Amino acid sequence: MLRHSIRLANLKNIAGSRYTVAGSVSILHVVQKSYYSTTTTDFEIGTQETIVNCQRFPRDDWTNVSPTVLSKINRKLHLQPQNPISIIRQLIESSFQDFTTFNNHSPIVSTKQNFDDLYIPPDHPSRTKSDNYYFNKDVVLRAHTSAHQIQGLVSGHRKFLVSGDVYRRDEIDASHYPVFHQIEGVFYTDNNLSTLRHELERLQQRKETANIELVDDTIIRPENPYQSCHTTEAVDLIAAHLKHSINAMIRQVFADEPNLKVRWIDAYFPFTSPSWEVEIEYKGEWLEVLGCGVVNQKIMNQAGLQDKIGWAFGMGLERLAMVLFGIPDIRLFWSEDERFINQFTPGKINKFVPFSKYPPCIKDISFWIPKGEWHENDFCELIRGVAGDIVETVEMVRLQNKNL
């Protein structure tokens, strides 16, 4: 067996609220029926099924959704005008003015939508229970807005944006949370060189600001290849259209940030090829902003778009908001404290002003774990279920082998 040491840092009593042992009811749902009704989401976790907003989902060996995340489903921070998440979303949308927007898709999706439709391999680590929230083996809380890519493609709109809350089991600290927000963009057009050149020329007519230093020395190579069904000329044109669109958006979003440095690097995603990530330099460190690429043609074909070629990008809104608004802790976005909410105005970016601080209260916990699979995300989820957001950080201090 292994002896595991965990440190819980900054256990706080938040003004206007209190935490009691009664919160442990969130653990008991595994053995008895429990009812939950919050101001945002009604859900029931029973021994045979989970009910959320009147939808019923049978439980099975894959079930691991928790009250903590279910209580967030109807909050929709990306649609609350004063929330920084929504302000960033609107700013990004303004850079794609002729794109159709989809902001109200349900976060409850099939595993087919979340994984299979995007050609994520069956043994890919992103499918594990330690990374996702499953209602059962067939239904999951979406892990990315890409789960709605097929829906957008079959909608008849050739350029669209999808935004919403996404869910992944994660560690506990100031930059990670099991619920966060993404925005997805997709553009496609006829797969012929004349149309592709016309689309690129029209895009290049836009006036560019000179507020960023751009580094892009990426070259399409076998490790990040053309798709065999595409000509190199077509991919070069659609990739140029993608990069011009993304660079223009970054210039607009970071218009007030002087001397901004942006770089493109090669990446891998199952649903695009070639693929890239975009990073910005912030306070001396390179931060990933988004991933993008030429859409896997198999996805286009699923939507009946065999003669089209397109690009897609996906980006997290929290990281951008934390940088632009100077928000130090990702959990603040969920605050309903007026001292937080009233600091922000729709359409405007201003720096966050801290309104309270508490001294840290550090607790060390040691325990034995059995042989077999162990994942920190599962333990963090247990802590969230009991203590909510008053535990700011969970840090593994030591994992020690012991022969018993």
Side-chain angles (χ1 to χ4, degrees):
M1 300 181 76
L2 298 177
R3 187 173 185 272
H4 209 79
S5 298
I6 291 288
R7 176 162 293 162
L8 307 183
N10 291 5
L11 186 63
K12 302 193 304 185
N13 178 23
I14 300 174
S17 65
R18 61 195 180 101
Y19 172 72
T20 69
V21 178
S24 62
V25 68
S26 59
I27 298 177
L28 300 179
H29 73 272
V30 297
V31 294
Q32 68 179 55
K33 180 179 289 188
S34 301
Y35 297 89
Y36 301 82
S37 180
T38 72
T39 57
T40 56
T41 311
D42 289 329
F43 57 94
E44 174 188 332
I45 299 178
T47 56
Q48 300 298 318
E49 64 180 4
T50 305
I51 305 173
V52 181
N53 294 335
C54 299
Q55 291 182 275
R56 297 175 177 270
F57 305 98
R59 297 172 62 87
D60 61 18
D61 291 342
W62 282 83
T63 304
N64 66 352
V65 288
S66 67
T68 303
V69 296
L70 293 181
S71 68
K72 302 292 195 296
I73 286 179
N74 289 353
R75 287 288 302 275
K76 300 184 184 298
L77 301 187
H78 66 295
L79 299 180
Q80 297 180 16
Q82 278 187 267
N83 195 289
I85 299 298
S86 179
I87 296 172
I88 293 293
R89 172 189 61 80
Q90 293 176 72
L91 186 57
I92 293 170
E93 288 177 352
S94 70
S95 186
F96 297 94
Q97 293 183 2
D98 54 348
F99 278 52
T100 300
T101 57
F102 299 101
N103 298 323
N104 277 300
H105 285 316
S106 170
I108 302 174
V109 300
S110 67
T111 52
K112 179 178 182 296
Q113 289 174 279
N114 203 64
F115 303 118
D116 300 337
D117 285 350
L118 300 172
Y119 292 88
I120 297 174
D123 58 349
H124 197 276
S126 66
R127 290 178 177 254
T128 64
K129 290 172 65 176
S130 293
D131 279 356
N132 297 282
Y133 291 98
Y134 283 88
F135 286 92
N136 53 51
K137 64 181 179 63
D138 298 317
V139 182
V140 67
L141 285 168
R142 65 186 170 209
H144 41 213
T145 48
S146 301
H148 303 288
Q149 194 169 112
I150 293 290
Q151 286 175 262
L153 289 171
V154 301
S155 69
H157 300 285
R158 69 184 188 93
K159 49 181 78 173
F160 59 87
L161 300 170
V162 181
S163 67
D165 43 330
V166 298
Y167 299 78
R168 297 180 194 171
R169 296 167 79 93
D170 216 333
E171 56 197 276
I172 296 177
D173 59 34
S175 61
H176 295 86
Y177 201 68
V179 191
F180 57 104
H181 298 78
Q182 287 185 341
I183 189 166
E184 174 109 352
V186 175
F187 167 87
Y188 69 84
T189 190
D190 295 336
N191 188 6
N192 70 68
L193 298 183
S194 176
T195 300
L196 287 165
R197 289 193 189 99
H198 173 72
E199 291 284 0
L200 180 60
E201 290 169 0
R202 186 171 64 172
L203 190 64
Q204 290 173 334
Q205 293 174 1
R206 293 183 182 178
K207 184 179 179 180
E208 293 186 355
T209 59
N211 63 311
I212 69 171
E213 178 185 330
L214 181 65
V215 177
D216 181 7
D217 56 4
T218 58
I219 299 174
I220 299 176
R221 61 191 74 191
E223 296 81 11
N224 189 21
Y226 294 97
Q227 297 174 50
S228 60
C229 57
H230 294 155
T231 66
T232 58
E233 295 87 350
V235 172
D236 290 343
L237 288 168
I238 197 69
H241 191 282
L242 162 65
K243 292 185 175 185
H244 195 285
S245 300
I246 296 301
N247 290 334
M249 180 268 291
I250 291 174
R251 286 188 175 96
Q252 180 166 326
V253 171
F254 291 92
D256 296 329
E257 296 289 325
N259 305 316
L260 184 70
K261 294 183 179 180
V262 178
R263 70 180 181 187
W264 287 71
I265 59 175
D266 291 326
Y268 164 78
F269 305 108
F271 28 84
T272 55
S273 185
S275 304
W276 300 277
E277 289 179 347
V278 179
E279 299 181 334
I280 61 171
E281 188 180 44
Y282 180 71
K283 291 186 176 180
E285 294 185 2
W286 288 98
L287 301 177
E288 178 191 341
V289 175
L290 61 85
C292 61
V294 178
V295 177
N296 186 328
Q297 192 61 37
K298 293 179 182 178
I299 297 175
M300 302 294 292
N301 296 347
Q302 281 188 75
L305 302 172
Q306 288 84 351
D307 60 341
K308 311 296 182 183
I309 187 171
W311 55 251
F313 75 86
M315 60 194 304
L317 298 179
E318 272 81 352
R319 174 165 288 182
L320 279 181
M322 292 175 78
V323 169
L324 290 171
F325 288 90
I327 294 173
D329 194 311
I330 195 171
R331 287 159 290 206
L332 281 168
F333 295 117
W334 296 91
S335 174
E336 296 181 271
D337 192 315
E338 292 184 356
R339 294 173 296 174
F340 177 78
I341 297 170
N342 290 339
Q343 290 191 34
F344 308 107
T345 303
K348 182 180 179 182
I349 293 178
N350 54 274
K351 296 300 182 182
F352 167 70
V353 179
F355 52 83
S356 67
K357 290 185 178 180
Y358 295 88
C361 176
I362 298 175
K363 303 291 184 182
D364 287 343
I365 300 174
S366 296
F367 55 91
W368 299 104
I369 61 173
K371 292 182 179 179
E373 184 176 351
W374 159 261
H375 204 292
E376 286 185 64
N377 287 350
D378 297 332
F379 184 72
C380 288
E381 190 60 31
L382 178 67
I383 292 173
R384 280 196 181 96
V386 176
D389 292 341
I390 64 173
V391 175
E392 289 191 349
T393 305
V394 175
E395 175 187 355
M396 185 173 71
V397 180
R398 184 172 63 253
L399 182 61
Q400 179 177 340
N401 287 302
K402 280 285 186 179
N403 295 320
L404 296 181

